[in-house]
């Protein structure tokens, strides 16, 4: 067994683990990442695509914004299509100039991996049997890679290993509480090298169910349809997908829609999930390991980023100022923001999707709520300020700025 020593052992190299690694590196704090998949698998995963301004700022602090600056598309508004009519939410004018950036999570991951490689930081890909031990006292991690056994002794373990990871599962049952809501439908998503139907995202509420027109660039589109959980990807030929999308769009968008062969097609279930607390002794949970949101509000990646902002700041405070204040406050601070994003994602999901169980009355109330939101500046502002991202304060942001 080979013994390794480090300050922070990060489990998982999704956006949360990679971003934490980069921020710790910038601050001169020793860490390693242990990932069960191959680097190729991690780099190829296709997921969300909208960054809040605070997430963009954090990537800048981490020094990985070059590609983002070149290829990210700033968006100042979104469209909501309901009853066959499009309504624009002017995000920027409703939020004192804030915006979001369209930039794929796949690209964020690749940029962070490239920065990591350039800095020659240690990542154990294709690790098997990853286990975390003794995190209330002397934390350590064991795993095997290529038949070699490793033990990592560390001060802290960062559980950035996603919803199905080992970290949350290792917490004793009586120390953790989880909150969950599973939705009775999924999103069928496709990626296609065709220009987007519109310059801005269109969120579609229709009698046939929800749809979303999104993009990755001016030449690559990402579209989603609400589908029953019983549907399989094989049930959906490209032709059937495009036909159904057209059925849910307004006439003008239908005419503008450019179709083409899909380069990816998958179905994702929708879930709301929160773990409390997010710290257990020297173990911290961050990102999808601690919470899941349905994708309707585009909050998943952004919440992972805000957890990491708090966690990196707390660890920097611990090592540079010998203070455990940030560490002690980590869970509470994260959860405040997490629950607000959970509420927003749940609300957007509720408002825009068809639920089989809803009565005619429920539907009328929902339509009235949507009409109110769209017809009132106060209503639109509520949506806009949540969509662009609620603010958070980070103690060591200046340290990070100096380091970058
Ligand atoms: N040991 C090591 N690594 C593991 C283990 C394990 N036992 N289990 C899971 N992992 C790895 C996964 O292979 C994955 O690479 O942890 C990583 C977790 O990454 P993500 O699932 O992308 O989670 P996170 O980094 O928190 O990113 C959150 O992903 O799902 C989206 O909407 C979500 O955008 C958000 C983002
Ligand atoms: C995406 O482009 O994948 C996307 C955009 C907005 C969402 C969800 C997903 O709300």
């Amino acid at each position: 067994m080979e013994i390794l020593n480090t300050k922070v052992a990060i489990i998982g190299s999704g956006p949360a683990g990679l971003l934490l690694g980069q921020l710790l590196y910038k601050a001169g704090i020793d860490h390693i990442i242990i990932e069960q998949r191959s680097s190729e698998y991690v780099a190829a995963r296709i997921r969300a695509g909208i960054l809040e301004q605070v997430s963009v700022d954090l990537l800048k602090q981490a020094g990985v914004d070059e590609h983002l600056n070149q290829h990210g598309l700033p968006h100042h508004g979104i469209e909501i299509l309901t009853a066959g009519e499009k309504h624009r939410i002017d995000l920027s004018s409703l939020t004192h100039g804030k915006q979001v950036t369209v930039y794929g999570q796949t690209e964020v991951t690749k940029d962070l991996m490239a920065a990591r490689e350039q800095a020659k930081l240690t990542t154990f890909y294709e690790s098997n049997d990853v286990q975390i031990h003794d995190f209330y006292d002397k934390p350590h991690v064991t795993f095997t890679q290529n038949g070699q056994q490793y033990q990592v002794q560390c001060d802290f373990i960062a559980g950035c290993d996603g919803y199905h990871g080992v970290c949350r599962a290792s917490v004793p049952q009586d120390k953790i509480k989880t909150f969950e809501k599973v939705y009775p439908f999924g999103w069928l998503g496709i990626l296609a090298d065709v220009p987007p139907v519109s310059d801005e995202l269109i969120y579609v509420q229709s009698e046939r169910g929800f749809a979303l027109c999104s993009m990755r660039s001016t030449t690559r589109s990402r579209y989603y349809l609400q589908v029953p959980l019983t549907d399989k990807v094989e049930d959906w030929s490209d032709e059937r997908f495009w036909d159904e999308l057209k059925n849910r769009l307004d006439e003008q968008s239908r005419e503008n829609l450019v179709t083409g062969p899909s380069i990816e097609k998958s179905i994702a279930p929708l879930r709301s999930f929160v773990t409390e607390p997010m710290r257990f002794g020297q173990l911290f949970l961050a990102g999808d390991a601690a919470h899941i949101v349905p994708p309707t509000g585009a909050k998943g990646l952004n919440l992972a980023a805000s957890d990491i902002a708090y966690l990196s700041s707390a660890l920097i405070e611990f090592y540079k100022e010998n203070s455990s204040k940030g560490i002690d406050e980590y869970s509470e601070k994260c959860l405040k923001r997490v629950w607000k994003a959970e509420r927003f994602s749940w609300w957007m999901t509720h408002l825009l999707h068809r639920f089989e169980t809803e009565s005619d009355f429920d539907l009328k109330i929902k339509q009235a709520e949507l009409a109110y939101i769209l017809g009132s500046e106060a209503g639109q502002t509520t949506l806009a300020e949540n969509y662009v991202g609620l603010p958070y304060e980070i103690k060591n942001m200046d340290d990070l700025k100096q380091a970058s």
Side-chain angles (χ1 to χ4, degrees):
M1 158 120 44
E2 189 171 333
I3 311 274
L4 306 168
N5 281 286
T6 190
K7 289 195 161 64
V8 184
I10 301 174
I11 316 297
S13 77
L18 287 166
L19 183 56
L20 178 61
Q22 191 64 18
L23 291 167
L24 292 181
Y25 160 68
K26 286 270 165 187
I29 297 169
D30 190 42
H31 73 278
I32 63 167
I33 296 186
I34 301 151
E35 162 64 50
Q36 69 179 7
R37 303 284 193 160
S38 67
S39 61
E40 295 78 19
Y41 179 93
V42 171
R45 250 187 322 228
I46 293 165
R47 288 214 182 129
I50 300 285
L51 296 177
E52 295 172 356
Q53 189 56 48
V54 281
S55 303
V56 169
D57 291 347
L58 199 62
L59 287 164
K60 185 176 170 164
Q61 313 304 345
V64 281
D65 60 335
E66 195 185 323
H67 204 253
L68 170 63
N69 290 335
Q70 282 166 12
H71 301 281
L73 303 173
H75 277 210
H76 300 280
I78 54 170
E79 302 265 12
I80 297 199
L81 170 59
T82 177
E85 249 181 68
K86 276 191 295 206
H87 305 259
R88 181 166 191 266
I89 307 279
D90 189 332
L91 298 174
S92 296
S93 77
L94 292 161
T95 61
H96 308 287
K98 289 192 184 154
Q99 61 181 42
V100 293
T101 303
V102 170
Y103 191 66
Q105 180 170 325
T106 315
E107 302 308 312
V108 173
T109 306
K110 279 193 214 154
D111 296 349
L112 285 163
M113 286 174 78
R116 199 165 172 81
E117 206 172 307
Q118 202 179 19
K120 299 195 168 35
L121 300 172
T122 309
T123 313
F124 288 91
Y125 287 107
E126 297 180 66
S127 300
N128 291 313
D129 195 23
V130 179
Q131 287 181 40
I132 62 170
H133 311 269
D134 216 6
F135 44 83
Y136 285 99
D137 188 16
K138 290 193 173 65
H140 57 282
V141 182
T142 54
F143 63 98
T144 60
Q145 191 204 44
N146 291 329
Q148 169 73 46
Q149 285 189 310
Y150 292 89
Q151 183 181 114
V152 183
Q153 289 165 344
C154 53
D155 300 336
F156 299 104
I157 299 172
C160 301
D161 50 349
Y163 182 65
H164 300 286
V166 68
C167 291
R168 191 182 69 250
S170 304
V171 175
Q173 285 291 316
D174 61 335
K175 297 238 186 314
I176 189 167
K177 184 162 169 56
T178 56
F179 303 82
E180 184 172 37
K181 183 174 177 63
V182 178
Y183 300 85
F185 41 72
W187 275 21
L188 167 66
I190 69 164
L191 198 61
D193 276 329
V194 291
V197 64
S198 157
D199 291 345
E200 295 185 331
L201 270 64
I202 310 177
Y203 286 82
V204 184
Q205 189 268 337
S206 87
E207 280 190 5
R208 302 180 68 94
F210 172 80
L212 173 60
C213 306
S214 182
M215 66 193 77
R216 289 292 174 272
S217 68
T218 50
T219 56
R220 180 169 284 190
S221 299
R222 180 82 168 146
Y223 293 106
Y224 297 98
L225 291 175
Q226 173 187 355
V227 296
L229 276 174
T230 43
D231 279 18
K232 306 256 171 309
V233 173
E234 305 77 69
D235 301 335
W236 287 88
S237 64
D238 287 359
E239 200 186 350
R240 182 174 173 209
F241 184 95
W242 294 119
D243 284 348
E244 183 55 31
L245 180 60
K246 282 183 191 162
N247 282 334
R248 297 185 192 188
L249 289 176
D250 60 304
E251 211 176 305
Q252 185 205 356
S253 308
R254 222 183 338 263
E255 274 168 24
N256 290 350
L257 185 73
V258 183
T259 63
S262 64
I263 48 178
E264 196 263 353
K265 198 186 284 161
S266 54
I267 295 181
L270 269 68
R271 180 191 302 274
S272 298
F273 175 85
V274 181
T275 304
E276 288 191 358
M278 287 171 57
R279 176 198 174 191
F280 309 88
Q282 269 80 272
L283 167 67
F284 301 94
L285 299 181
D288 277 14
H291 40 72
I292 299 283
V293 283
T296 325
K299 291 290 162 232
L301 175 58
N302 294 298
L303 272 189
S306 60
D307 289 352
I308 294 306
Y310 286 128
L311 185 52
S312 58
S313 162
L315 291 169
I316 291 168
E317 194 178 338
F318 179 82
Y319 286 111
K320 304 278 151 140
E321 295 169 31
N322 210 9
S323 158
S324 54
K325 188 165 181 287
I327 284 172
D328 293 338
E329 291 174 352
Y330 170 74
S331 180
E332 196 189 326
K333 277 193 173 176
C334 285
L335 283 167
K336 262 192 194 160
R337 197 168 192 272
V338 165
W339 275 114
K340 286 181 190 161
E342 290 282 346
R343 186 210 66 82
F344 176 64
S345 308
W346 162 83
W347 177 74
M348 284 278 278
T349 304
H350 225 260
L351 204 58
L352 299 176
H353 289 72
R354 274 310 293 264
F355 287 72
E356 263 179 25
T357 49
E358 68 198 350
S359 65
D360 290 349
F361 179 84
D362 296 338
L363 196 58
K364 284 284 183 191
I365 291 289
K366 235 163 67 170
Q367 283 163 352
E369 184 172 5
L370 197 49
Y372 162 69
I373 294 290
L374 297 174
S376 143
E377 191 175 326
Q380 289 188 21
T381 307
T382 294
L383 198 161
E385 72 177 356
N386 281 280
Y387 194 86
V388 300
L390 297 173
Y392 55 99
E393 277 166 32
I394 300 295
K395 185 172 182 298
N396 283 299
M397 220 43 165
D398 288 342
D399 291 0
L400 291 173
K401 269 185 202 145
Q402 276 161 21
S404 60

